Amino acid sequence: MGVTRPQGELNQMNPDSTFRRVLRRTAPVAAAAAIGAGAGAGVYALTSGGSSSPSTQSATPTAIVPAQPASSTQTTSSLTSLYKSASAGVVDIVVNGSSTTPLGGSQQSQAEGSGFVIDTKGDIVTNEHVVDGANSIAVQFQSGKKADATLVGSDKSTDIAVIKVNVDASLLHPLPLGDSTTTQPGQEVVAIGSPFGLPGTMTAGIVSAINRTIQAPNNFSIAGTIQTDAAINHGNSGGPLIDVATGKVIGVNAQIESDSGGNDGVGFAIPINAAKNVATTLIAGGKVQHAYLGVTIGDATSGTGAQVRQVVSGSPADKAGLQAGDVITAVDDNTVSGADELTAAVGSRAPGDKVTLTVDRNGTTKTITVTLGTRPS
């Protein structure tokens, strides 16, 4: 997307210390690394016991609530049917890696995530942060069959990766991919994955909001993500978010926002259209490229627009004459109401595209033409 929000500013916008992040692998357990404003669904660290939670919390009494009857047998039947058809295409991913200790030694680590099959050739989509730094990757299918996987390619800017297995075709059950541009709040969805190392777990909810912006592993912004209240926890990363009505994948579960480090009902999925574009490029052997403006932005402090906080030296924005303090109010005559819309607008372009920015500079309206560059890795 080529624009970023300053992490410090995001922290100031969240004084209650709510944060979104992806759990990164370290030995012997995963360490939480901030990805954007806030705690995220991520890799589940496998310790020697294999059952420790990444977040340690004081024990609290458990309230026992009487079981309630299902709201309708039709809903139960629908979800049961969806699970039967979709779960065979979801895989558990175990990654072995190594890290350097403060004393210069090496420690081995193991972590777990999720993924889903997208074709009959053995290609599997997951999150980039699931396989980042992997020395070896293994997948387990619903049947219990295990297979080694190789990394086809990955893209930090969208947090999407593709891995590949060489197995009998009978094990491959590709999930149908939907169109995330039609996603609307209120749609019923399910998430399937391996939360806390429990493969084949399905949770249900709705699309809570669309067009959210989260931060990628390389600190650039991912626009257009889907917010859901379907329970997503550590280990769900890379698994599918499925539309109940169509049975099609509309997102790749990636992060959560949480005070506790566990599921608080605010999860985020990478839209499947973005994931499809990245996967297609990686499978074809290409390199994923993103348009780059070269500014750090936030919402305008007064009125509408995206305010430039910082201009990267030598970037397309710098060469075009953008300055810190400028408020970008439109891109190619399309109104920009805030930072998220500018991020989405730049993200929809390609490197080399020319865009015309309408800028308010100290009360004076200016028009600036920028030739977008290629986002640095």
Side-chain angles (χ1 to χ4, degrees), residues 196-331:
F196 301 116
L198 299 170
T201 296
M202 182 173 80
T203 54
I206 63 170
V207 171
S208 303
I210 58 174
N211 295 327
R212 297 301 198 197
T213 296
I214 61 176
Q215 212 163 348
N218 60 1
N219 293 326
F220 282 99
S221 299
I222 304 175
T225 63
I226 301 166
Q227 182 183 330
T228 181
D229 67 351
I232 298 173
N233 285 289
H234 311 306
N236 270 118
S237 278
L241 185 70
I242 303 173
D243 175 40
V244 172
T246 63
K248 294 182 178 181
V249 180
I250 59 172
V252 183
N253 299 317
Q255 296 182 18
I256 60 175
E257 188 158 341
S258 174
D259 286 323
S260 64
N263 169 59
D264 282 351
V266 183
F268 300 92
I270 312 301
I272 196 60
N273 285 28
K276 282 191 290 188
N277 291 338
V278 171
T280 298
T281 299
L282 294 175
I283 292 170
K287 182 180 180 181
V288 180
Q289 295 184 326
H290 300 276
Y292 178 60
L293 180 58
V295 292
T296 299
I297 59 170
D299 291 335
T301 54
S302 61
T304 61
Q307 186 167 31
V308 177
R309 306 290 196 237
Q310 182 181 7
V311 178
V312 178
S313 178
S315 69
D318 185 30
K319 294 175 181 177
L322 276 173
Q323 298 177 8
D326 286 348
V327 176
I328 300 172
T329 59
V331 177

Side-chain angles (χ1 to χ4, degrees), residues 117-207:
V117 180
I118 60 170
D119 59 34
T120 57
K121 299 178 182 179
D123 292 306
I124 295 170
V125 165
T126 186
N127 283 141
E128 185 277 338
H129 74 259
V130 170
V131 296
D132 182 38
N135 292 331
S136 66
I137 306 170
V139 304
Q140 178 173 307
F141 295 89
Q142 184 189 47
S143 64
K145 174 70 175 180
K146 297 180 180 179
D148 292 332
T150 56
L151 179 64
V152 175
S154 63
D155 177 46
K156 287 183 179 294
S157 288
T158 53
D159 198 11
I160 294 296
V162 177
I163 60 176
K164 189 179 183 67
V165 291
N166 183 15
V167 297
D168 190 271
S170 63
L171 287 174
L172 301 173
H173 300 277
L175 298 187
L177 307 182
D179 179 5
S180 51
T181 63
T182 64
T183 302
Q184 295 295 324
Q187 282 182 234
E188 292 182 318
V189 291
V190 298
I192 304 179
S194 303
F196 301 116
L198 299 170
T201 296
M202 182 173 80
T203 54
I206 63 170
V207 171

Side-chain angles (χ1 to χ4, degrees), residues 85-109:
S85 64
S87 59
V90 182
V91 300
D92 179 64
I93 300 175
V94 174
V95 174
N96 288 292
S98 59
S99 59
T100 303
T101 68
L103 297 178
S106 179
Q107 286 185 321
Q108 299 302 307
S109 62

